[in-house]
Coordinates of all heavy atoms in Angstrom, one line a residue:
E1201 N -164.6 60.5 -10.5 CA -165.2 61.2 -11.6 C -165.7 60.2 -12.7 O -166.7 60.5 -13.4 CB -164.3 62.3 -12.2 CG -164.8 63.1 -13.4 CD -166.0 63.9 -13.0 OE1 -166.2 64.2 -11.8 OE2 -166.9 64.2 -13.9
S1202 N -164.9 59.2 -13.0 CA -165.2 58.3 -14.1 C -166.5 57.5 -13.9 O -167.1 57.0 -14.8 CB -164.1 57.3 -14.3 OG -163.9 56.4 -13.1
I1203 N -167.0 57.5 -12.6 CA -168.3 56.8 -12.4 C -169.5 57.7 -12.1 O -170.5 57.3 -11.6 CB -168.2 55.7 -11.3 CG1 -167.6 56.3 -10.0 CG2 -167.4 54.5 -11.8 CD1 -167.7 55.3 -8.9
V1204 N -169.2 59.1 -12.3 CA -170.3 60.0 -12.1 C -171.4 59.7 -13.2 O -171.1 59.7 -14.4 CB -169.9 61.5 -12.3 CG1 -171.1 62.4 -12.4 CG2 -169.0 61.8 -11.1
Y1205 N -172.6 59.4 -12.7 CA -173.7 58.9 -13.6 C -174.3 60.1 -14.4 O -174.6 60.0 -15.6 CB -174.7 58.2 -12.8 CG -175.8 57.5 -13.6 CD1 -175.5 56.4 -14.4 CD2 -177.1 58.1 -13.6 CE1 -176.5 55.8 -15.1 CE2 -178.1 57.4 -14.4 CZ -177.8 56.3 -15.1 OH -178.8 55.7 -15.8
K1206 N -174.4 61.2 -13.7 CA -175.0 62.4 -14.4 C -174.6 63.6 -13.6 O -174.4 63.6 -12.4 CB -176.5 62.3 -14.4 CG -177.3 63.4 -14.9 CD -177.1 63.6 -16.4 CE -178.0 64.7 -16.9 NZ -177.8 65.0 -18.4
H1207 N -174.5 64.8 -14.2 CA -174.2 66.0 -13.5 C -175.1 67.1 -14.1 O -175.5 67.1 -15.3 CB -172.7 66.4 -13.6 CG -172.2 66.7 -15.0 ND1 -172.4 67.9 -15.6 CD2 -171.5 66.0 -15.8 CE1 -171.9 67.9 -16.8 NE2 -171.3 66.7 -17.0
W1208 N -175.3 68.2 -13.3 CA -176.1 69.3 -13.7 C -175.5 70.6 -13.3 O -174.8 70.7 -12.2 CB -177.5 69.2 -12.9 CG -178.3 68.0 -13.3 CD1 -179.2 67.8 -14.2 CD2 -178.2 66.7 -12.6 NE1 -179.7 66.5 -14.2 CE2 -179.1 65.8 -13.2 CE3 -177.4 66.2 -11.5 CZ2 -179.3 64.5 -12.8 CZ3 -177.6 64.9 -11.1 CH2 -178.5 64.1 -11.7
D1209 N -175.7 71.6 -14.1 CA -175.2 73.0 -13.8 C -176.3 73.9 -13.3 O -176.0 75.0 -12.9 CB -174.5 73.6 -15.1 CG -173.4 72.7 -15.6 OD1 -172.5 72.3 -14.9 OD2 -173.5 72.4 -16.8
K1210 N -177.5 73.4 -13.5 CA -178.7 74.2 -13.1 C -179.6 73.5 -12.2 O -179.9 72.3 -12.4 CB -179.5 74.6 -14.4 CG -178.7 75.4 -15.4 CD -179.5 75.6 -16.7 CE -178.7 76.3 -17.8 NZ -179.5 76.4 -19.0
M1211 N -180.0 74.1 -11.1 CA -180.8 73.5 -10.0 C -182.0 74.4 -9.8 O -181.9 75.6 -9.7 CB -180.0 73.3 -8.8 CG -178.6 72.6 -8.9 SD -178.8 70.9 -9.3 CE -179.6 70.3 -7.8
W1212 N -183.1 73.8 -9.6 CA -184.3 74.5 -9.2 C -184.6 74.4 -7.7 O -184.4 73.4 -7.1 CB -185.5 73.9 -10.0 CG -185.7 74.4 -11.4 CD1 -185.2 73.8 -12.5 CD2 -186.2 75.7 -11.8 NE1 -185.5 74.6 -13.6 CE2 -186.1 75.7 -13.2 CE3 -186.8 76.8 -11.1 CZ2 -186.5 76.8 -14.0 CZ3 -187.2 77.8 -11.9 CH2 -187.1 77.9 -13.3
F1213 N -185.1 75.5 -7.2 CA -185.7 75.5 -5.8 C -187.1 76.0 -5.9 O -187.4 77.0 -6.6 CB -184.9 76.4 -4.9 CG -185.4 76.5 -3.5 CD1 -184.9 75.7 -2.5 CD2 -186.4 77.4 -3.2 CE1 -185.3 75.8 -1.2 CE2 -186.9 77.5 -1.9 CZ -186.3 76.7 -0.9
H1214 N -188.0 75.2 -5.2 CA -189.4 75.6 -5.3 C -190.0 75.7 -3.8 O -189.7 74.9 -3.0 CB -190.3 74.5 -6.0 CG -189.9 74.3 -7.4 ND1 -190.1 75.3 -8.4 CD2 -189.3 73.3 -8.1 CE1 -189.7 74.8 -9.6 NE2 -189.2 73.6 -9.4
D1215 N -190.8 76.7 -3.6 CA -191.6 76.8 -2.4 C -193.0 77.3 -2.9 O -193.2 77.7 -4.1 CB -191.0 77.7 -1.4 CG -191.6 77.6 0.0 OD1 -192.5 76.8 0.1 OD2 -191.2 78.3 0.9
I1216 N -193.9 77.4 -2.0 CA -195.2 77.9 -2.4 C -195.1 79.4 -2.8 O -194.5 80.2 -2.1 CB -196.2 77.8 -1.2 CG1 -196.4 76.4 -0.8 CG2 -197.6 78.4 -1.5 CD1 -197.1 76.2 0.5
N1217 N -195.5 79.7 -4.0 CA -195.5 81.1 -4.6 C -194.0 81.6 -4.8 O -193.8 82.8 -5.0 CB -196.2 82.1 -3.7 CG -197.6 81.7 -3.5 OD1 -198.3 81.3 -4.4 ND2 -198.1 81.9 -2.2
F1218 N -193.1 80.7 -4.9 CA -191.7 81.1 -5.1 C -190.9 80.0 -5.8 O -190.9 78.8 -5.3 CB -191.0 81.5 -3.9 CG -189.5 81.8 -4.1 CD1 -189.1 82.9 -4.7 CD2 -188.5 80.8 -3.6 CE1 -187.7 83.1 -4.9 CE2 -187.2 81.1 -3.8 CZ -186.8 82.2 -4.4
S1219 N -190.3 80.3 -6.9 CA -189.4 79.3 -7.6 C -188.2 80.1 -8.1 O -188.3 81.3 -8.5 CB -190.1 78.6 -8.8 OG -191.1 77.7 -8.3
K1220 N -187.0 79.4 -8.1 CA -185.8 80.1 -8.6 C -184.9 79.0 -9.2 O -184.7 78.0 -8.6 CB -185.1 80.8 -7.4 CG -183.9 81.6 -7.8 CD -183.3 82.3 -6.6 CE -182.0 83.1 -7.0 NZ -181.5 83.8 -5.8
Q1221 N -184.4 79.4 -10.3 CA -183.4 78.5 -11.0 C -182.0 79.0 -10.5 O -181.7 80.2 -10.6 CB -183.5 78.5 -12.5 CG -182.5 77.5 -13.1 CD -182.5 77.7 -14.6 OE1 -181.8 78.6 -15.2 NE2 -183.2 76.8 -15.3
L1222 N -181.2 78.0 -10.0 CA -179.9 78.4 -9.5 C -178.8 78.0 -10.5 O -178.7 76.8 -10.9 CB -179.6 77.6 -8.2 CG -180.7 77.7 -7.1 CD1 -180.4 76.8 -5.9 CD2 -181.0 79.1 -6.7
Q1223 N -178.1 79.0 -11.0 CA -177.0 78.7 -11.8 C -175.7 78.5 -10.9 O -175.3 79.5 -10.3 CB -176.7 79.9 -12.8 CG -178.0 80.3 -13.6 CD -178.2 79.5 -14.8 OE1 -177.3 78.7 -15.2 NE2 -179.3 79.6 -15.5
I1224 N -175.2 77.3 -10.8 CA -174.3 77.0 -9.8 C -172.8 77.0 -10.3 O -171.9 76.7 -9.5 CB -174.6 75.7 -9.1 CG1 -174.5 74.5 -10.1 CG2 -176.0 75.7 -8.5 CD1 -174.6 73.2 -9.4
S1225 N -172.6 77.3 -11.6 CA -171.2 77.3 -12.1 C -170.3 78.2 -11.2 O -170.8 79.3 -10.8 CB -171.2 77.8 -13.5 OG -169.9 77.9 -14.0
P1226 N -169.1 77.8 -10.9 CA -168.3 76.8 -11.5 C -168.5 75.4 -10.8 O -167.8 74.4 -11.1 CB -166.8 77.2 -11.2 CG -167.0 78.0 -9.9 CD -168.3 78.7 -10.0
Y1227 N -169.5 75.3 -9.9 CA -169.8 74.0 -9.3 C -170.6 73.2 -10.3 O -171.3 73.7 -11.2 CB -170.7 74.2 -8.1 CG -169.9 74.7 -6.9 CD1 -169.9 76.0 -6.6 CD2 -169.3 73.8 -6.0 CE1 -169.2 76.5 -5.5 CE2 -168.6 74.2 -4.9 CZ -168.6 75.6 -4.6 OH -167.9 76.1 -3.5
Q1228 N -170.6 71.9 -10.2 CA -171.5 71.0 -10.8 C -172.1 70.1 -9.8 O -171.4 69.7 -8.8 CB -170.7 70.1 -11.8 CG -170.3 70.8 -13.1 CD -169.8 69.8 -14.1 OE1 -169.1 68.8 -13.8 NE2 -170.0 70.1 -15.4
Y1229 N -173.4 69.8 -9.9 CA -174.1 68.9 -9.0 C -174.0 67.5 -9.6 O -174.4 67.4 -10.8 CB -175.5 69.4 -8.8 CG -176.2 68.7 -7.6 CD1 -176.0 69.2 -6.4 CD2 -177.1 67.6 -7.8 CE1 -176.7 68.6 -5.3 CE2 -177.7 67.0 -6.7 CZ -177.5 67.5 -5.5 OH -178.1 67.0 -4.4
K1230 N -173.5 66.6 -8.9 CA -173.2 65.3 -9.5 C -173.9 64.1 -8.7 O -174.2 64.3 -7.5 CB -171.7 65.0 -9.5 CG -170.9 66.1 -10.2 CD -169.4 65.8 -10.2 CE -168.6 66.8 -11.0 NZ -167.2 66.6 -11.1
M1231 N -174.1 63.0 -9.4 CA -174.7 61.9 -8.8 C -173.9 60.6 -9.2 O -173.5 60.4 -10.3 CB -176.1 61.7 -9.3 CG -176.9 60.7 -8.5 SD -178.5 60.3 -9.3 CE -178.0 59.0 -10.4
I1232 N -173.7 59.8 -8.2 CA -173.0 58.5 -8.4 C -174.0 57.4 -7.9 O -174.5 57.5 -6.8 CB -171.7 58.4 -7.6 CG1 -170.7 59.3 -8.2 CG2 -171.2 57.0 -7.6 CD1 -169.3 59.3 -7.5
R1233 N -174.2 56.4 -8.7 CA -175.1 55.3 -8.3 C -174.3 54.3 -7.4 O -173.1 54.1 -7.7 CB -175.7 54.6 -9.5 CG -176.5 55.4 -10.4 CD -177.2 54.6 -11.5 NE -176.4 53.5 -12.0 CZ -176.9 52.4 -12.5 NH1 -178.2 52.2 -12.5 NH2 -176.1 51.5 -13.0
G1234 N -175.0 53.8 -6.4 CA -174.3 52.9 -5.5 C -173.7 51.7 -6.2 O -172.5 51.3 -5.9
I1235 N -174.4 51.0 -7.1 CA -173.9 49.8 -7.8 C -172.6 50.2 -8.6 O -171.7 49.4 -8.6 CB -174.9 49.1 -8.6 CG1 -174.5 47.7 -9.0 CG2 -175.4 50.0 -9.8 CD1 -174.2 46.8 -7.9
D1236 N -172.6 51.3 -9.2 CA -171.4 51.7 -10.0 C -170.2 51.9 -9.1 O -169.1 51.6 -9.4 CB -171.7 53.0 -10.8 CG -172.8 52.8 -11.8 OD1 -173.0 51.6 -12.3 OD2 -173.4 53.8 -12.2
F1237 N -170.5 52.5 -7.9 CA -169.4 52.8 -6.9 C -168.9 51.5 -6.4 O -167.6 51.3 -6.4 CB -170.0 53.6 -5.8 CG -169.0 54.0 -4.7 CD1 -168.2 55.0 -4.9 CD2 -169.0 53.3 -3.5 CE1 -167.2 55.4 -3.9 CE2 -168.1 53.6 -2.5 CZ -167.2 54.7 -2.7
Y1238 N -169.8 50.6 -6.0 CA -169.3 49.3 -5.5 C -168.5 48.5 -6.6 O -167.4 48.0 -6.3 CB -170.5 48.4 -5.1 CG -171.4 49.1 -4.0 CD1 -172.8 49.0 -4.1 CD2 -170.8 49.8 -3.0 CE1 -173.6 49.5 -3.1 CE2 -171.6 50.4 -2.0 CZ -173.0 50.3 -2.1 OH -173.8 50.9 -1.2
N1239 N -169.0 48.4 -7.8 CA -168.3 47.7 -8.8 C -167.0 48.3 -9.1 O -166.0 47.5 -9.3 CB -169.2 47.6 -10.1 CG -170.4 46.7 -9.9 OD1 -170.5 45.9 -9.1 ND2 -171.4 46.9 -10.8
Y1240 N -166.9 49.6 -9.2 CA -165.6 50.3 -9.5 C -164.6 50.0 -8.4 O -163.5 49.6 -8.7 CB -165.9 51.8 -9.6 CG -164.7 52.6 -9.8 CD1 -164.1 52.8 -11.0 CD2 -164.1 53.2 -8.7 CE1 -162.9 53.5 -11.2 CE2 -162.9 54.0 -8.8 CZ -162.4 54.2 -10.1 OH -161.2 54.9 -10.2
C1241 N -165.0 50.1 -7.2 CA -164.1 49.9 -6.1 C -163.6 48.5 -6.0 O -162.4 48.2 -5.8 CB -164.7 50.3 -4.8 SG -165.0 52.1 -4.6
F1242 N -164.6 47.5 -6.0 CA -164.2 46.1 -5.8 C -163.4 45.6 -7.0 O -162.5 44.7 -6.8 CB -165.4 45.3 -5.6 CG -165.8 45.2 -4.1 CD1 -166.9 46.1 -3.7 CD2 -165.2 44.4 -3.2 CE1 -167.2 46.1 -2.4 CE2 -165.6 44.4 -1.9 CZ -166.6 45.2 -1.5
N1243 N -163.6 46.1 -8.2 CA -162.8 45.7 -9.4 C -161.3 46.1 -9.1 O -160.4 45.3 -9.5 CB -163.3 46.4 -10.6 CG -164.5 45.7 -11.2 OD1 -164.9 44.6 -10.8 ND2 -165.3 46.4 -12.0

């Protein structure tokens, strides 16, 4: 968790003639950058 670069509670889905915002709580969509992961682990 300490190296999660960014997280989102809202996600969009798009198709032709259709869009929907997804409220995903209690989930969070998270992103970890590779270099942050490597540095954290090797340290």
Side-chain angles (χ1 to χ4, degrees):
E1201 181 63 25
S1202 64
I1203 53 169
V1204 169
Y1205 187 72
K1206 178 70 177 173
H1207 64 78
W1208 299 268
D1209 303 310
K1210 301 172 185 176
M1211 307 290 294
W1212 280 97
F1213 179 92
H1214 299 290
D1215 194 2
I1216 299 170
N1217 301 319
F1218 172 74
S1219 290
K1220 184 177 181 179
Q1221 187 187 78
L1222 310 177
Q1223 306 278 349
I1224 65 172
S1225 178
Y1227 286 93
Q1228 287 187 327
Y1229 196 81
K1230 301 180 178 182
M1231 191 190 87
I1232 292 177
R1233 301 193 316 155
I1235 192 63
D1236 296 337
F1237 181 81
Y1238 302 140
N1239 288 340
Y1240 174 82
C1241 293
F1242 275 98
N1243 285 340

